[in-house]
Amino acid sequence: MIRDAFLETKGIHNFRDYGGWHAPGEGRVRRDVLFRSGQHVDATDDDLKAIAELDIRTVIDLRGTSERDRNPCRRVEGWNGEVVFYDGETTSSPPHMDVEPGSSASDFARQRMIAVYTRMPHNPAMIDMFGRYLKVLADRDGASLVHCFAGKDRTGIAATMLLHILGVSEEDQREEFLRTNKSPTFEVLVQQSLPGIEERLGRKLDAEQVRDLLEVRAEYLDTFHAEVERDYGDFDSYLSQVIGIGNDLRTRLRERFLV
């Protein structure tokens, strides 16, 4: 069912298993228990059938209240798991939906995304949700799914945090972050995002501009790390001092997700 980490879906962007990475020694991150994706507002019945087979018992929805209200996610019929979410806004607006009229789409996209990743380490709502995400993973049985609007920015940083705690190399953390750009469902995100963007801009965008807006770039992850290192020295100090991840929780996460 999982082909090259991605689940075959028709209405969900970027649904994939983010396990399987090498860990210290001969270890690996467990497969088939850690999933990430974009929102499920357009999930098809076949998508939901495929998801039902994954035994996902916990969903961590990193979107804010207004995003959830505008785009209510479809869930598997009869699903009785838990959805963890933030009661309020987690970002000023989804970066892939916020484009100022009259600006160059490509230039604006880069500047907007750099700003998003600069603010994210200090955003109280995201600090809360990153902490809840990691604690839920340590506490609950079964597989989990973490998602936001596109499954690439907030979700990408969440996955990076877990992989770092599990001892995955920085190179592989980066590869997992950038794997979003290989998603076979890019057109799903385009359909969900592009009409609103072009309406705001008042013009059509070419293919290169669309990718600048809707993909991830290495410099975005670098921006997050630079902001953390400037203020806290290193990623581990940030996780400990800001996100509240102590040694006990790190140990529990490693015991659960390393094989």
Side-chain angles (χ1 to χ4, degrees):
M1 183 177 297
I2 302 295
R3 185 180 67 248
D4 298 328
F6 290 98
L7 183 73
E8 186 173 349
T9 56
K10 299 297 184 182
I12 305 171
H13 176 53
N14 201 17
F15 196 121
R16 69 185 193 259
D17 186 335
Y18 62 105
W21 296 101
H22 287 287
E26 298 299 319
R28 280 186 179 270
V29 180
R30 287 180 62 190
R31 296 294 305 269
D32 305 319
V33 292
L34 295 167
F35 298 100
R36 54 178 290 186
S37 76
Q39 62 187 1
H40 293 201
V41 64
D42 295 318
T44 67
D45 290 344
D46 285 343
D47 292 343
L48 296 182
K49 289 178 183 177
I51 293 169
E53 298 179 14
L54 303 178
D55 190 31
I56 292 172
R57 303 182 192 177
T58 307
V59 174
I60 304 96
D61 186 343
L62 301 177
R63 300 175 303 164
T65 300
S66 61
E67 293 174 274
R68 296 194 309 273
D69 288 346
R70 286 193 302 268
N71 300 285
C73 284
R74 297 191 68 198
R75 305 292 181 201
V76 174
E77 185 176 358
W79 184 71
N80 61 354
E82 178 183 3
V83 179
V84 178
F85 61 90
Y86 188 78
D87 187 12
E89 301 305 324
T90 59
T91 184
S92 56
S93 58
H96 30 275
M97 297 296 286
D98 185 6
V99 181
E100 294 177 349
S103 57
S104 160
S106 296
D107 288 345
F108 180 81
R110 179 184 177 279
Q111 295 167 8
R112 179 73 169 94
M113 296 308 301
I114 292 296
V116 165
Y117 281 83
T118 298
R119 293 195 305 266
M120 201 185 306
H122 314 290
N123 180 333
M126 290 312 305
I127 289 171
D128 178 81
M129 285 304 297
F130 288 145
R132 292 171 69 185
Y133 154 73
L134 292 167
K135 291 167 186 171
V136 161
L137 291 188
D139 291 340
R140 289 183 60 87
D141 294 330
S144 66
L145 167 72
V146 58
H147 77 87
C148 52
F149 184 102
K152 66 188 186 74
D153 302 308
R154 290 165 286 184
T155 297
I157 292 299
T160 297
M161 287 182 176
L162 177 63
L163 295 182
H164 178 82
I165 290 169
L166 298 180
V168 174
S169 70
E170 290 186 11
E171 179 181 0
D172 284 348
Q173 292 173 38
R174 181 181 297 268
E175 185 174 343
E176 168 58 36
F177 181 80
L178 294 174
R179 182 178 277 176
T180 285
N181 295 341
K182 298 178 181 179
S183 173
T185 53
F186 183 70
E187 287 304 314
V188 173
L189 181 59
V190 172
Q191 292 167 11
Q192 292 177 346
S193 304
L194 191 57
I197 291 172
E198 291 183 333
E199 182 179 359
R200 292 285 304 275
L201 281 173
R203 64 181 184 273
K204 295 291 185 180
L205 303 181
D206 62 35
E208 182 178 358
Q209 291 172 326
V210 170
R211 292 215 172 260
D212 284 335
L213 281 165
L214 301 183
E215 292 187 335
V216 292
R217 300 288 181 255
E219 68 175 322
Y220 303 160
L221 184 59
D222 291 341
T223 296
F224 183 91
H225 281 299
E227 192 73 9
V228 164
E229 290 167 8
R230 186 197 68 189
D231 289 352
Y232 302 100
D234 56 43
F235 201 13
D236 285 308
S237 296
Y238 174 76
L239 289 169
S240 174
Q241 298 172 23
V242 180
I243 307 300
I245 308 305
N247 290 333
D248 177 66
L249 183 57
R250 288 171 181 263
T251 297
R252 287 158 55 202
L253 288 168
R254 290 168 181 160
E255 289 175 348
R256 180 162 186 205
F257 294 111
L258 293 179
V259 292

